[in-house]
Amino acid sequence: MVVGTGQNKASGKAEDAMSSSDAEDDFGEPATPTATQAGQALPLLPQQFPEVVPLNVGGMFFTTRLSTLRRYEDTMLAAMFSGRHYIPTDAEGRFFIDRDGTYFGDVLNFLRSGDLPPRERVRSVYKEAQYYSIGPLLDNLEDIQPLKGEKVRQAFLGLMPYYKDHLERIIEIAKLRAMQRKARFAKLKVCVFKEEMPITPYECPHFNSLRFDRSESETKLFEHHCEVDVSFGPWEAVADVYDLLHCIVSDLSARGIAVDHQCIGVCDKHLVNHYYCKRPIYEFKITWW
């Protein structure tokens, strides 16, 4: 009996201790909630926007209607001002977009009335339209110059095997040679040829094509690599060697690289009998400063 009583007392004390602890928990300060608990306890309410929205885009101020920002539902602006996402405000209460606002006015003008920017701003506005995912503006800009011409140019360059790789090679070779010589500029030889192999007097190309009917052994007689740093070609298109040279110089210039070029002759590699390569060779001069 004594043993049994002792166990009951111990059990009672344990229960009393538990009760005391529970009571203290009821009156103690609550533990810091986790992010998940806080989210469950305090759900974020949809952000409310006024009908007339003041904007601060990278430090430039704009004012527009909320319906203008929501004009196309599949755009980033429509999503931002849908109320599903929080947008911070500046000290004056303007809704802040952390983006250069130089061309945001052109974006707004299109959303308001479909106006397109002048030609000199088309490329820059196109980048903004890409950032804000405004598909209708992108489509309209792609149908005017200079972007329409750029689409045609890229279609032509799509015929060039390894065009971008060859541009990088030109830059790397020129940089390495200039650094080795401690010079302002570097020169390299570039071959640009349209036909894969020369035409003999006894051959005619296929109609509207640059291909020929040659046996495999005959073809190998004409295969060789000109002794140049970089070689572009061949391709099948109306655009000629000078068109490709223009593309090369334009793309290098767009990257801030000053380049001059001139034809310095042709490849005099002997192929077979009295036939020689005759592909044009150009000297490219890359100036670094």
Side-chain angles (χ1 to χ4, degrees):
M1 292 296 295
V2 175
V3 175
T5 304
Q7 289 176 342
N8 290 338
K9 289 181 179 180
S11 176
K13 290 179 180 179
E15 290 174 0
D16 291 342
M18 291 290 291
S19 300
S20 174
S21 175
D22 291 341
E24 290 175 359
D25 286 344
D26 289 340
F27 294 98
E29 292 193 6
T32 302
T34 63
T36 302
Q37 291 171 339
Q40 293 173 348
L42 297 172
L44 293 176
L45 295 175
Q47 191 171 13
Q48 301 296 317
F49 299 101
E51 183 177 356
V52 177
V53 182
L55 297 170
N56 178 345
V57 184
M60 299 183 68
F61 307 139
F62 303 89
T63 304
T64 189
R65 292 175 63 92
L66 181 61
S67 59
T68 299
L69 298 171
R70 295 175 175 176
R71 182 170 300 280
Y72 299 106
E73 61 181 13
D74 293 332
T75 68
M76 180 187 292
L77 287 173
M80 291 172 66
F81 290 90
S82 65
R84 300 190 304 269
H85 307 283
Y86 175 74
I87 302 178
T89 56
D90 63 12
E92 303 298 325
R94 305 182 189 92
F95 295 97
F96 181 73
I97 299 176
D98 193 9
R99 178 79 175 174
D100 187 350
T102 303
Y103 302 101
F104 189 75
D106 292 302
V107 173
L108 278 183
N109 286 337
F110 176 79
L111 295 176
R112 288 166 175 155
S113 55
D115 292 343
L116 296 175
R119 178 171 179 170
E120 63 271 15
R121 296 207 297 269
V122 166
R123 292 183 185 275
S124 298
V125 176
Y126 188 81
K127 292 181 180 179
E128 297 306 297
Q130 287 179 314
Y131 177 79
Y132 293 110
S133 301
I134 306 175
L137 178 52
L138 291 171
D139 293 339
N140 277 272
L141 292 175
E142 288 174 356
D143 281 338
I144 62 176
Q145 289 285 56
L147 294 183
K148 192 176 185 67
E150 180 63 18
K151 289 177 68 175
V152 177
R153 191 180 81 97
Q154 290 300 328
F156 163 57
L157 292 179
L159 302 175
M160 299 296 106
Y162 311 110
Y163 175 76
K164 293 184 178 180
D165 293 337
H166 290 342
L167 284 184
E168 293 298 330
R169 181 168 173 78
I170 288 175
I171 296 171
E172 289 302 318
I173 291 175
K175 181 177 69 174
L176 180 61
R177 288 180 182 172
M179 293 179 67
Q180 289 174 340
R181 296 176 57 247
K182 309 297 188 293
R184 289 182 59 230
F185 62 87
K187 296 180 180 180
L188 61 158
K189 293 181 179 180
V190 178
C191 177
V192 181
F193 64 101
K194 184 174 180 179
E195 293 82 10
E196 187 171 4
M197 54 188 71
I199 305 174
T200 70
Y202 308 101
E203 294 176 305
C204 291
H206 293 160
F207 179 73
N208 199 28
S209 172
L210 298 175
R211 295 189 299 273
F212 311 95
D213 284 325
R214 282 175 172 157
S215 66
E216 184 176 350
S217 59
E218 289 174 331
T219 300
K220 289 183 178 180
L221 292 174
F222 289 88
E223 289 180 352
H224 82 288
H225 297 285
C226 301
E227 295 181 0
V228 295
D229 297 298
V230 183
S231 186
F232 292 85
W235 68 88
E236 291 192 33
V238 174
D240 59 21
V241 169
Y242 298 102
D243 296 319
L244 182 57
L245 284 170
H246 181 272
C247 291
I248 296 171
V249 173
S250 297
D251 288 337
L252 291 174
S253 299
R255 299 179 59 172
I257 297 173
V259 54
D260 294 309
H261 69 281
Q262 63 177 343
C263 184
I264 58 174
V266 296
C267 176
D268 58 358
K269 174 72 175 180
H270 178 256
L271 300 178
V272 59
N273 296 332
H274 57 281
Y275 297 111
Y276 295 81
C277 173
K278 302 302 181 183
R279 292 172 180 170
I281 307 298
Y282 295 85
E283 181 183 75
F284 273 54
K285 179 181 178 181
I286 307 294
T287 303
W288 291 106
W289 81 84

